[in-house]
Amino acid sequence: MIRVNKISDSILVSDYINGSEASLSILINRHQQRLFSFIYSKVQSKDVTEDIFQDTFIKVIRTLKKGKYNEEGKFLPWVMRIAHNLVIDYFRKNNRMPNFKNTDEFDIFSVLGDGSLNAEKQLIQEQIYSDVRELINELPDEQKEVLLMRMYKDMSFKEISENTGVSINTALGRMRYALINMRKLIEKHKIILVN
């Protein structure tokens, strides 16, 4: 009998795709502790960790069944990335509304944080920056160029016009279309840009 520990993740994934349900059980058992610990370290709740853990493997199963898994023998990092994204989704959904004490003397300043990022907010912010970078990369080159000059280099439209060799109106138009296209991409990819 072949020892289970000797079978590589990629062979187990391949076997599962070809109909062996037992292969998935081996994969889950093999990585369960590490994945569970990773999720728990982020959410600090056993119930939420269990939910995200299950959601992770539901997503893994769906992806494998659709044949959309990109092999490369990196099963665990791929599963961890799915879990990481689900943790971020959890924080985004549950941290939209600020917490405040409901008293007669409601103070708007009670909802403002001290400005320092705790671990979960930092995680969400990093994902938002990553999402925005990916969205920008999907824009046509002229729009991307104007958006980067305006938003990241803080250039005026006059400076952009001089640097790109187009009129100010053309630069303004490209910026407008860049923002319209980014909104469309956000809707298309169902990205939540909320910190």
Side-chain angles (χ1 to χ4, degrees):
M1 183 176 157
I2 299 171
R3 288 193 51 218
V4 169
N5 291 344
K6 297 272 185 216
I7 305 171
S8 72
D9 285 355
S10 56
I11 290 171
L12 288 167
V13 167
S14 175
D15 289 350
Y16 174 70
I17 291 169
N18 293 322
S20 168
E21 295 292 325
S23 296
L24 182 67
S25 295
I26 296 167
L27 281 167
I28 292 172
N29 290 331
R30 181 177 288 174
H31 300 299
Q32 183 171 356
Q33 188 59 49
R34 191 155 168 209
L35 188 62
F36 202 87
S37 298
F38 167 75
I39 298 167
Y40 186 81
S41 74
K42 305 291 181 214
V43 298
Q44 302 290 310
S45 159
K46 196 166 189 275
D47 291 340
V48 173
T49 298
E50 286 171 2
D51 288 346
I52 292 175
F53 181 84
Q54 286 179 345
D55 289 347
T56 299
F57 274 96
I58 288 169
K59 218 165 184 176
V60 165
I61 291 166
R62 282 186 184 145
T63 305
L64 292 175
K65 292 215 184 244
K66 286 180 186 171
K68 291 189 174 180
Y69 173 61
N70 186 0
E71 177 54 55
E72 295 171 20
K74 300 194 187 319
F75 179 75
L76 182 61
W78 174 65
V79 173
M80 296 288 256
R81 181 76 186 153
I82 291 171
H84 172 84
N85 289 341
L86 289 170
V87 165
I88 288 167
D89 289 346
Y90 163 78
F91 284 136
R92 284 179 178 167
K93 285 178 190 142
N94 292 293
N95 286 343
R96 281 187 169 177
M97 294 306 295
N99 295 329
F100 57 86
K101 296 173 196 83
N102 200 2
T103 63
D104 293 338
E105 301 157 17
F106 172 69
D107 178 8
I108 187 64
F109 295 104
S110 69
V111 302
L112 300 175
D114 61 4
S116 65
L117 291 178
N118 62 24
E120 79 189 36
K121 284 184 180 168
Q122 196 163 358
L123 195 67
I124 293 168
Q125 190 174 55
E126 286 168 11
Q127 185 63 44
I128 289 171
Y129 289 155
S130 166
D131 289 345
V132 169
R133 274 194 300 275
E134 286 179 32
L135 290 173
I136 291 171
N137 284 331
E138 288 190 44
L139 292 173
D141 287 341
E142 306 90 36
Q143 294 172 18
K144 186 192 318 182
E145 181 183 35
V146 171
L147 185 121
L148 292 173
M149 288 178 167
R150 182 79 183 128
M151 303 311 288
Y152 293 95
K153 295 180 181 174
D154 204 27
M155 294 170 77
S156 70
F157 283 104
K158 184 175 187 293
E159 293 169 316
I160 293 170
S161 143
E162 290 165 359
N163 274 284
T164 56
V166 297
S167 71
I168 292 176
N169 281 342
T170 301
L172 283 164
R174 287 179 181 174
M175 182 69 181
R176 182 172 166 270
Y177 283 116
L179 295 174
I180 289 169
N181 286 330
M182 283 189 73
R183 275 192 209 103
K184 286 179 185 170
L185 289 166
I186 288 167
E187 285 172 28
K188 177 181 154 194
H189 296 306
K190 295 179 173 59
I191 293 173
I192 306 167
L193 297 176
V194 175
N195 196 347

